[in-house]
Amino acid sequence: GAVSGTINSPLGEMPVTGTMTGSSVALQFTAQTPQGDMAVTMNGELGPDGLAGKSSVPGLGEAEWTAKRIIE
């Protein structure tokens, strides 16, 4: 189903949207940087410690990422 949330990075907080199918997640957002907007895609899997996967930025390559839910 559809998922949404907020990513917190050195560039600040940005809204994220995507889909979750089983334990697989696909997320997209636009990072606003001093060099201009960058489209970011993140694909990953839900495991016992949270989400983990790879992000991709056209022209810059891939990087590994992890995420945990903040419970307030």
Side-chain angles (χ1 to χ4, degrees):
V3 295
S4 63
T6 303
I7 187 168
N8 190 1
S9 79
L11 297 172
E13 290 187 356
M14 293 164 270
V16 175
T17 60
T19 58
M20 183 111 188
T21 305
S23 63
S24 297
V25 65
L27 304 171
Q28 306 85 34
F29 67 95
T30 300
Q32 296 177 343
T33 75
Q35 293 78 27
D37 290 353
M38 293 185 176
V40 181
T41 58
M42 299 171 72
N43 294 298
E45 294 289 324
L46 177 62
D49 296 323
L51 293 163
K54 291 197 177 206
S55 64
S56 176
V57 177
L60 295 180
E62 294 184 336
E64 293 185 7
W65 63 270
T66 60
K68 293 186 182 202
R69 184 177 185 176
I70 296 174
I71 299 174
E72 296 181 19

